[in-house]
């Protein structure tokens, strides 16, 4: 839903009167692009691992028992 609102705002945007003083990057293999992508990848993975560890530490069930057929349904955080 949020993405559709973003695309709607972009499609209704007016052209800019004045161009930017700086030119965009001429080459996608510039150091800035892969470094930015690697840092984003690392940040997302670190946050995913942190959230997973946090949710496992707050879980009430033992982590060694993953599935018991005869047990009652318990709400898990993950």
């Amino acid at each position: 839903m949020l993405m559709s609102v973003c695309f709607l705002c972009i499609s209704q945007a007016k052209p800019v009167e004045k161009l930017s003083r700086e030119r965009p990057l001429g080459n996608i293999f510039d150091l800035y692009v892969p470094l930015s992508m690697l840092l984003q990848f690392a940040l997302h993975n670190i946050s995913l691992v942190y959230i997973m560890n946090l949710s496992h530490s707050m879980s009430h069930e033992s982590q060694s028992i993953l599935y018991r057929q005869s047990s009652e349904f318990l709400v898990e955080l993950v």
Side-chain angles (χ1 to χ4, degrees):
M1 186 66 127
L2 182 63
M3 289 299 291
S4 62
V5 170
C6 289
F7 283 119
L8 178 69
C9 291
I10 289 172
S11 66
Q12 299 297 321
K14 304 280 188 273
V16 180
E17 299 275 333
K18 184 179 176 184
L19 295 177
S20 175
R21 291 182 189 198
E22 296 181 22
R23 293 186 63 166
L25 294 175
N27 189 359
I28 63 167
F29 299 111
D30 195 338
L31 180 63
Y32 175 76
V33 175
L35 184 65
S36 173
M37 290 173 61
L38 286 174
L39 288 175
Q40 288 179 37
F41 181 73
L43 180 69
H44 285 102
N45 280 339
I46 289 169
S47 63
L48 176 68
V49 169
Y50 174 73
I51 296 293
M52 289 292 292
N53 289 336
L54 187 64
S55 64
H56 283 299
S57 68
M58 291 184 178
S59 179
H60 297 292
E61 278 287 316
S62 171
Q63 295 301 322
S64 62
I65 302 172
L66 294 176
Y67 180 75
R68 288 185 291 175
Q69 193 170 7
S70 63
S71 67
E72 295 181 20
F73 175 75
L74 296 174
V75 178
E76 291 287 331
L77 295 174
V78 179

